[in-house]
Amino acid sequence: MDRAPLIMRAPRSPHPECISLSAPRPAITAAACAFAALLVAVGCSDGPSTDAPGASTGSPGNSLRITTAGTALRTSEAGGRVTVSVALDAAPSGPITVPVSSSDATEGSVSPTTVSFTAQDWSVPREITVTGVDDAESDGDQVFRVRLGPSVSVDPASDGLVAESADITNTDDDGPGTAAIVVSDPSGPLAERGAPVTFTVRLASQPSAPVTIALGVSDTTEASLSHADLTFTEASWSTAQTVTLSSVDDWQADGAQPVRVAFGSPASEDPEYAALAAPADLELSNLDDDVGGGYQLRTAHTGDAPLYVAHSYYHAMITNLDDRANNQLPADFQWRVVPALANPDDPTLVSFESVGFAGRYLHVDSASSTRYPPQSEASNRADGLWQTPPDERSHLLWIDVFTDTAEFRRDATFRIVPALNGDPTMVSLQWYSDATRYLRHLNYQIHAHVLDGTAVERSEASFALEPLGYLISQRADPHIKRHTDGYYYFTASVPTYDRIEIRRATTIRGLADATPKVVWTKHATGPMAAHIWAPELHFIDGKWYIYFAAGSSTDIWAIRMYALESSSANPMDGAWAERGQIVTDSDTFALDATTFEHDGKRYLVWAQEDPSVAGDNSSLFIAAMVNPWTLARPNVRIARPEHAWETAGFAVNEGAAVLERNGRVFISYSASATDARYCLGLLTASATDDLLSASSWTKNKNPVFVSANGLYGPGHNSFTTSADGSIDVLVYHARNYEKITGDPLYDPNRHTRVQRLGWNADGTPSFGAPLLNGASTIGD
């Protein structure tokens, strides 16, 4: 959250920093500029600006044009701002990155610190906010400038561009007797399980008596403050006091929640400070780290395999995730953490609902603490209690159907407390009905026990809540596109393989709760009647297109690629026209079409069985496009499965996704069978090479994204960005378990997941490893 330092002071004339400018701009120094120059436009953020003719300078065939907003350009130490707009005067042949800086960071700050342009959006101005920086010195008005460049680009004519704004005056506010309260920017974003946020408060001038300022937070279920008030004296007035704002982790998938730090009016016998209004509130959002699916509860067991809380015959047990001998299913280990049934307003209290059996909750029965009647040991073994001695069969944890009574609500409620074993990544669960008892696993059963304080018992009463963390349940082959209308659009394979649906939201994480709209269903007979796979949504020349694969009613494995077209502004509305099969050079198994534009030319990349290579299930091909549903010739194979990690189970290269950055074109793709061996590989080409030449593409010798951290078979990805373009986002599917019953192709639990995509020092993408809660790395 970018925010200028706040200063509250006695009233003055409104917007003193907003004064008009009319002045020539310094000449540009850009010897490397052959046809493109930076265009800088300056305006005031506090009101509408009017364009006026500006000076024009630059190299032959170029101009650095200036539009202004009046006769003077000012920020202020009171937080006054101006806006600088930057654009190019001609299209570059490759991406351009322009650093942005202040000539004097002690007087003015800039945000963002870099702007980027591509050949497609070069004409769209980028706005830079310039904010006056406050200091405690009475140093008078100070002048600084916004500096742009040198730019970095693979286009020689766009590399090395520089420019500088006209003078900006930062108005001083530290004259004698100037009463003011200075509040700094928060140190960073507020996030559940993130680092605490700090900010500072100080006075701008020496008071004649102590000054006390009260503080409060708008929602104590989302955040807490380290101070209820701050006091400044005649001696300490200039020393900034640090306040810590800590996130409250509520374990609920409730999205980003607003948090406001409110200040009271100063209390003082100093008349100037007593007359001040309260400083403006700090507005933040507590970023959620709980996205979809709930949690697995892992124990502190340190054996060969981690043990998790599961349910069997409606009582709780611990076992490993691959325990098929006891007929454990993946959903048996999955728990929704919901607001406490006994007291939903207390964020430290929770209840656990079973994912596999909705309406059943983890529940310790206080009315009948020994529910199993005396039986023969043979019967007890049949009931799953054979390892638990009879005198330890009390206060067992059950999976009970919700009963709307106060007693049931209490018995199914637990308080989350710091882990008794001291592990900061774990928690302990105190029973709400009897605070002397904690959930503890014993002989593979789970009880509410009174602990004796030994290290063993403290360990057995500690659990890690591992978020399943998927964005959207049971959606494989996910594709997310951010459109110019401000919406993210989502398509993916539906487990029934019989329809195409779209959902949209203004944030990536908002897609989790967005209502899907079915826009097309399979044919009853003939082509496009089976295996509706991997739809992708693209906007091309003012129309929407969906590319997908489908089989035939007479041969469900006769998979071919098809295209749909819509002229509606919103692809979820209006009709979709079938543009038919995308015809390739060979009439063989073909799927996973994706399209991109590069250097003014549109391409299609897809996976197809190559009849010239025996044993390969699919290779990757590329072709130029005549129109959005017709390929030009030739079709060029750019990759085939050749390494062991590409041929495990099946010899597959498929599911291509294209990313252009740093003067290169990257194509990620999926390899091997769709079980835990499924993984991502990477192809790379220079942006200046012929993309239709197989020799332009280099394949990484090793996979770039493989099963890890309890996630299996990560693959069939796409790429998108955060709303402000500052974060690259990897979108993919993966399972939360390794062992699969039956054909993995028909296992529905490949869930859509997202996480931040990093970059290596050499400019190549860094995929890292699948993260259980990767959504927490992308903000909102």
Side-chain angles (χ1 to χ4, degrees):
M1 174 177 180
D2 292 328
R3 184 178 178 279
L6 292 177
I7 300 178
M8 298 308 297
R9 59 180 60 260
R12 61 171 70 178
S13 59
H15 308 302
E17 68 276 14
C18 231
I19 307 175
S20 58
L21 164 71
S22 178
R25 190 66 63 89
I28 187 171
T29 56
C33 177
F35 74 88
L38 291 171
L39 168 66
V40 181
V42 183
C44 179
S45 64
D46 288 323
S49 64
T50 56
D51 290 342
S56 173
T57 62
S59 57
N62 269 300
S63 66
L64 182 63
R65 297 184 293 108
I66 304 169
T67 57
T68 66
T71 58
L73 196 59
R74 289 183 177 271
T75 58
S76 74
E77 292 188 0
R81 300 181 177 187
V82 293
T83 300
V84 174
S85 297
V86 185
L88 297 176
D89 67 359
S93 62
I96 258 186
T97 299
V98 183
V100 183
S101 62
S102 170
S103 65
D104 188 346
T106 67
E107 294 294 337
S109 65
V110 295
S111 178
T113 56
T114 60
V115 293
S116 300
F117 301 89
T118 66
Q120 291 74 40
D121 65 5
W122 66 272
S123 62
V124 180
R126 307 296 197 264
E127 286 195 348
I128 299 165
T129 299
V130 187
T131 305
V133 173
D134 189 24
D135 57 38
E137 301 177 18
S138 180
D139 56 356
D141 296 351
Q142 297 292 314
V143 173
F144 68 98
R145 293 182 174 185
V146 176
R147 290 174 175 167
L148 307 166
S151 61
V152 178
S153 177
V154 293
D155 175 8
S158 302
D159 189 50
L161 300 180
V162 297
E164 191 171 273
S165 76
D167 288 349
I168 302 173
T169 300
N170 190 34
T171 306
D172 188 28
D173 68 352
D174 295 302
T178 303
I181 299 167
V182 182
V183 181
S184 75
D185 289 344
S187 60
L190 183 68
E192 293 180 2
R193 281 187 265 182
V197 174
T198 61
F199 60 91
T200 62
V201 182
R202 65 173 175 82
L203 304 186
S205 63
Q206 186 176 34
S208 61
V211 178
T212 298
I213 305 164
L215 296 88
V217 65
S218 60
D219 188 346
T220 55
T221 68
E222 293 292 337
S224 62
L225 280 172
S226 60
H227 292 71
D229 56 57
L230 303 172
T231 297
F232 300 88
T233 67
E234 298 91 324
S236 67
W237 66 273
S238 62
T239 301
Q241 297 190 41
T242 299
V243 180
T244 300
L245 180 68
S246 300
S247 170
V248 173
D249 188 1
D250 57 12
W251 306 94
Q252 309 302 322
D254 55 358
Q257 294 295 312
V259 172
R260 185 177 68 257
V261 177
F263 300 87
S265 298
S268 178
E269 294 182 4
D270 180 309
E272 287 195 37
Y273 277 98
L276 289 181
D281 295 347
L282 289 178
E283 302 281 354
L284 300 95
S285 292
N286 189 24
L287 303 180
D288 191 21
D289 67 350
D290 306 294
V291 179
Y295 293 85
Q296 293 172 156
L297 276 68
R298 177 173 54 82
T299 72
H301 169 76
T302 56
D304 294 335
L307 299 181
Y308 291 81
V309 176
H311 59 78
S312 178
Y313 302 102
Y314 301 120
H315 74 276
M317 60 182 290
I318 61 168
T319 184
N320 66 71
L321 291 173
D322 295 327
D323 185 3
R324 294 299 183 267
N326 286 322
N327 298 314
Q328 298 299 141
L329 301 175
D332 294 341
F333 296 87
Q334 298 173 9
W335 308 96
R336 294 185 182 92
V337 181
V338 299
L341 295 177
N343 185 357
D345 295 327
D346 186 340
T348 68
L349 297 174
V350 297
S351 294
F352 296 91
E353 183 184 17
S354 168
V355 169
F357 292 86
R360 284 184 177 267
Y361 294 82
L362 291 180
H363 174 250
V364 181
D365 194 343
S366 61
S368 179
S369 62
T370 55
R371 280 171 47 174
Y372 273 106
Q375 301 178 51
S376 68
E377 201 56 32
S379 297
N380 287 331
R381 287 170 182 265
D383 287 330
L385 291 174
W386 63 276
Q387 294 191 79
T388 305
D391 59 351
E392 293 178 354
R393 292 173 187 169
S394 67
H395 293 91
L396 278 168
L397 187 64
W398 297 85
I399 317 298
D400 286 333
V401 175
F402 173 72
T403 303
D404 193 4
T405 65
E407 186 176 58
F408 184 95
R409 290 178 179 274
R410 288 194 306 269
D411 289 349
T413 294
F414 305 89
R415 186 177 302 279
I416 294 180
V417 299
L420 296 177
N421 69 350
D423 187 336
T425 68
M426 306 185 86
V427 299
S428 291
L429 299 167
Q430 185 182 56
W431 190 29
Y432 189 62
S433 288
D434 182 349
T436 67
R437 294 180 178 271
Y438 294 81
L439 290 189
R440 172 198 175 196
H441 64 83
L442 179 65
N443 294 323
Y444 297 95
Q445 311 302 316
I446 303 175
H447 309 249
H449 263 210
V450 177
L451 305 180
D452 63 11
T454 63
V456 170
E457 289 197 356
R458 290 197 303 269
S459 177
E460 292 171 345
S462 298
F463 301 85
L465 274 68
E466 294 181 345
L468 300 176
Y470 49 72
L471 183 72
I472 299 174
S473 173
Q474 296 189 335
R475 290 297 181 269
D477 315 321
H479 185 262
I480 296 178
K481 173 181 176 55
R482 186 172 189 271
H483 188 45
T484 54
D485 62 1
Y487 282 94
Y488 289 92
Y489 291 88
F490 173 85
T491 52
S493 295
V494 177
T496 50
Y497 298 150
D498 61 352
R499 70 196 69 180
I500 296 173
E501 61 181 27
I502 303 173
R503 65 178 74 189
R504 73 172 187 169
T506 55
T507 65
I508 295 174
R509 292 170 69 157
L511 292 168
D513 299 316
T515 302
K517 170 73 176 295
V518 176
V519 297
W520 185 88
T521 55
K522 70 176 185 178
H523 291 192
T525 59
M528 296 186 283
H531 281 162
I532 310 304
W533 284 350
E536 286 196 8
L537 180 66
H538 294 270
F539 190 74
I540 305 171
D541 298 332
K543 294 183 179 180
W544 290 99
Y545 292 88
I546 294 176
Y547 298 98
F548 67 101
S552 168
S553 60
T554 57
D555 183 356
I556 63 173
W557 297 107
I559 306 293
R560 302 294 185 270
M561 301 180 295
Y562 300 88
L564 306 175
E565 180 188 78
S566 174
S567 299
S568 175
N570 179 355
M572 297 179 67
D573 298 334
W576 285 85
E578 295 177 358
R579 286 299 185 180
Q581 182 179 338
I582 298 176
V583 178
T584 64
D585 285 349
S586 301
D587 187 27
T588 58
F589 183 91
L591 73 168
D592 295 349
T594 192
T595 184
F596 69 103
E597 187 177 347
H598 175 72
D599 201 17
K601 183 182 294 185
R602 181 159 292 280
Y603 299 87
L604 192 81
V605 180
W606 71 97
Q608 186 164 9
E609 181 184 5
D610 188 342
S612 69
V613 181
D616 287 1
N617 296 94
S618 62
S619 298
L620 291 182
F621 288 81
I622 190 172
M625 303 191 78
V626 176
N627 60 41
W629 60 90
T630 306
L631 300 183
R633 298 293 186 268
N635 297 180
V636 180
R637 188 183 71 194
I638 57 175
R640 61 171 292 264
E642 53 191 311
H643 301 298
W645 55 269
E646 297 176 291
T647 58
F650 293 99
V652 167
N653 284 177
E654 65 182 15
V658 181
L659 182 64
E660 296 187 62
R661 293 285 191 282
N662 306 324
R664 279 169 279 190
V665 181
F666 303 100
I667 296 180
S668 61
Y669 63 94
S670 299
S672 292
T674 57
D675 53 23
R677 296 169 290 183
Y678 207 50
C679 59
L680 291 184
L682 187 68
L683 301 175
T684 305
S686 169
T688 58
D689 285 349
D690 178 9
L691 301 186
L692 293 178
S693 171
S695 63
S696 297
W697 296 94
T698 301
K699 178 187 287 188
N700 279 35
K701 293 182 180 180
N702 297 307
V704 294
F705 202 56
V706 300
S707 297
N709 298 323
L711 298 178
Y712 299 94
H716 203 123
N717 78 289
S718 60
F719 300 104
T720 188
T721 65
S722 60
D724 63 0
S726 64
I727 297 175
D728 290 302
V729 177
L730 174 66
V731 184
Y732 65 100
H733 71 235
R735 294 183 178 89
N736 287 83
Y737 50 90
E738 182 177 8
K739 299 293 180 64
I740 300 168
T741 301
D743 188 337
L745 184 63
Y746 298 105
D747 179 284
N749 294 312
R750 293 182 289 175
H751 306 311
T752 295
R753 311 183 72 91
V754 292
Q755 65 188 64
R756 186 169 189 154
L757 180 73
W759 291 93
N760 297 311
D762 64 357
T764 58
S766 175
F767 289 78
L771 301 176
L772 273 172
N773 203 16
S776 66
T777 67
I778 67 167
D780 283 341

